[in-house]
Amino acid sequence: MVDLGVSVSVGQWFKLKIEYDPISETEAVITAYVNGTQVGMSTAYYNKASGAPVVTKINSISILDRVSAVSSLYLDNIKCSYDATKYSTG
């Protein structure tokens, strides 16, 4: 888990963009943006510490809340895309 140091107000809509870039079999870069401004970058992908290879195909996404609280999450305009040309070796 990475703390991005960003807070938003209750009831405030914001745009969250997460880019996951598997740059090799052993390295990935995760970049986070809030309202178009980069707020964080990490190379700590899931299971990196165990030596697991970088995930290159994502088939599900989970949103977890680490704080016990009653809350609602509203999602709108979700987009997932893949740019195959970015990973070509030719």
Side-chain angles (χ1 to χ4, degrees):
M1 186 168 85
V2 177
D3 180 2
L4 300 176
V6 175
S7 62
V8 293
S9 300
V10 172
Q12 173 187 358
W13 281 93
F14 61 95
K15 180 178 179 181
L16 173 65
K17 177 180 178 180
I18 305 292
E19 291 181 347
Y20 177 80
D21 187 7
I23 55 177
S24 73
E25 189 175 304
T26 58
E27 291 296 323
V29 177
I30 300 98
T31 309
Y33 302 85
V34 173
N35 294 328
T37 301
Q38 182 179 330
V39 295
M41 182 181 289
S42 176
T43 58
Y45 63 86
Y46 183 73
N47 272 345
K48 181 177 184 175
S50 69
V54 170
V55 174
T56 58
K57 294 182 180 179
I58 298 172
N59 60 9
S60 66
I61 297 172
S62 297
I63 299 172
L64 305 173
D65 183 3
R66 304 270 182 194
V67 179
S68 296
V70 176
S71 60
S72 298
L73 173 66
Y74 299 96
L75 302 174
D76 189 19
N77 298 328
I78 298 172
K79 177 183 177 185
C80 296
S81 61
Y82 174 75
D83 183 357
T85 60
K86 188 172 185 177
Y87 308 107
S88 67
T89 58

